C-alpha cells in the first residue's frame, strides 16, 4: 500500500511545482499587460482538484489496492499524459498557466501539440482524472471527478476561448479548423 501513496505523492509534488511555475509565469504575463479572466470559477477548479486527491486517498485507504496486470493499462495512459503535459509546458513556455491570463495582441502559440488541437493540456487533465484513480481501482473517484471535471471544462473552455477570440490578434484565424480535443 505504501507504493500507492508514493505514486500519489509524486503526482502531488509535480502539481505543486507546476503551481510555482504558474505563479512565476503569472507575474511575468501581468507585468507585460496580461489580462486575467475566469476569476470566479478558478477557486472552484482548485477546490475540485484538491478534493480529487482527498477522495483518491480516502477511497484507496478504504478499499485497498491490488496491482494487477490490468493496472498497466491506466498506468500507460497516466505516463503518456505526463509526456504530453511536459510537451505542453515546453511549447507554451512563459504563456503556460493554471489561470486564464491572456496577453493582448500576443501571437498565438501554434507549436508542439497546439499544431494539432486547441486544448492539449485539458486532454491531459481529462486523462489524469479518469486514469489515476483507475490505476488504484478507485472507481468512484474516477467516475465522480470525471463528471465534475467535464462540467468545469465546459465553463473554463468557454471562458478561455472568449478571451482568446477577443484579446489576441489571430486566435480565430489560426484555430478555426482545429478541434478542441482529438475527438471534439
Amino acid at each position: 500500500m505504501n507504493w500507492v501513496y508514493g505514486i500519489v505523492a509524486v503526482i502531488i509534488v509535480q502539481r505543486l511545482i507546476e503551481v510555482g511555475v504558474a505563479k512565476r509565469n503569472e507575474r511575468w504575463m501581468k507585468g507585460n499587460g496580461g489580462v486575467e479572466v475566469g476569476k470566479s470559477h478558478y477557486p472552484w477548479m482548485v477546490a475540485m482538484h484538491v478534493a480529487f486527491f482527498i477522495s483518491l486517498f480516502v477511497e484507496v485507504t478504504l478499499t485497498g489496492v491490488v496491482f494487477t496486470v490490468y493496472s498497466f493499462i491506466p498506468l500507460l495512459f497516466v505516463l503518456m499524459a505526463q509526456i504530453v503535459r511536459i510537451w505542453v509546458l515546453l511549447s507554451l513556455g512563459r504563456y503556460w498557466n493554471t489561470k486564464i491570463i491572456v496577453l493582448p495582441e500576443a501571437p498565438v502559440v501554434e507549436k508542439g501539440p497546439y499544431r494539432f488541437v486547441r486544448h492539449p493540456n485539458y486532454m491531459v487533465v481529462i486523462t489524469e482524472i479518469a486514469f489515476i484513480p483507475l490505476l488504484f481501482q478507485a472507481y468512484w473517484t474516477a467516475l465522480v471527478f470525471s463528471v465534475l471535471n467535464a462540467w468545469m471544462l465546459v465553463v473554463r473552455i468557454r471562458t478561455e476561448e472568449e478571451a482568446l477570440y477577443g484579446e489576441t490578434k489571430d486566435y480565430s484565424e489560426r484555430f478555426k479548423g482545429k478541434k478542441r480535443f482529438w475527438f471534439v
Side-chain angles (χ1 to χ4, degrees), residues 35-41 99-102 156 159-160 163:
V35 178
E36 183 179 350
V37 297
K39 289 181 185 181
S40 63
H41 77 262
K99 296 180 178 178
I100 301 171
I101 302 173
V102 180
R156 188 158 173 87
T159 303
E160 185 173 316

Side-chain angles (χ1 to χ4, degrees), residues 8-19:
V8 175
V10 166
I11 294 168
I12 290 171
V13 167
Q14 179 188 359
R15 293 302 171 277
L16 293 173
I17 292 168
E18 289 170 4
V19 167

Side-chain angles (χ1 to χ4, degrees), residues 9-160:
V10 166
I11 294 168
I12 290 171
V13 167
Q14 179 188 359
R15 293 302 171 277
L16 293 173
I17 292 168
E18 289 170 4
V19 167
V21 170
K23 289 286 185 193
R24 186 185 69 223
N25 291 347
E26 176 183 1
R27 284 190 299 275
W28 177 81
M29 288 183 75
K30 286 184 174 178
N32 286 287
V35 178
E36 183 179 350
V37 297
K39 289 181 185 181
S40 63
H41 77 262
Y42 187 75
W44 292 103
M45 185 183 78
V46 171
M48 182 194 73
H49 283 273
V50 170
F52 167 77
F53 284 106
I54 292 169
S55 175
L56 183 61
F57 270 116
V58 169
E59 187 171 358
V60 164
T61 300
L62 293 176
T63 61
V65 177
V66 178
F67 197 80
T68 70
V69 71
Y70 298 110
S71 300
F72 283 104
I73 296 168
L75 178 62
L76 287 175
F77 276 94
V78 170
L79 292 174
M80 286 188 302
Q82 299 321 298
I83 292 167
V84 175
R85 178 183 297 284
I86 292 166
W87 194 19
V88 164
L89 287 164
L90 292 173
S91 298
L92 286 179
R94 293 181 127 184
Y95 295 105
W96 181 84
N97 211 295
T98 58
K99 296 180 178 178
I100 301 171
I101 302 173
V102 180
L103 198 55
E105 301 303 316
V108 175
V109 174
E110 255 191 306
K111 62 183 179 178
Y114 293 91
R115 289 179 294 175
F116 310 108
V117 293
R118 291 188 224 172
H119 301 290
N121 197 58
Y122 297 144
M123 289 173 22
V124 169
V125 174
I126 290 167
T127 303
E128 289 175 334
I129 287 180
F131 287 95
I132 290 171
L134 293 180
L135 179 61
F136 309 118
Q137 298 93 45
Y139 303 114
W140 285 107
T141 299
L143 177 65
V144 169
F145 284 91
S146 289
V147 170
L148 289 174
N149 186 52
W151 166 77
M152 179 55 66
L153 287 179
V154 167
V155 171
R156 188 158 173 87
I157 289 170
R158 183 180 304 132
T159 303
E160 185 173 316

Side-chain angles (χ1 to χ4, degrees), residues 157-183:
I157 289 170
R158 183 180 304 132
T159 303
E160 185 173 316
E161 287 188 350
E162 284 175 8
L164 287 168
Y165 281 124
E167 297 291 336
T168 61
K169 57 184 171 185
D170 58 355
Y171 183 81
S172 59
E173 178 184 315
R174 299 213 180 259
F175 281 83
K176 68 180 172 191
K178 292 182 186 167
K179 295 180 182 261
R180 285 188 175 103
F181 306 109
W182 67 91
F183 54 87

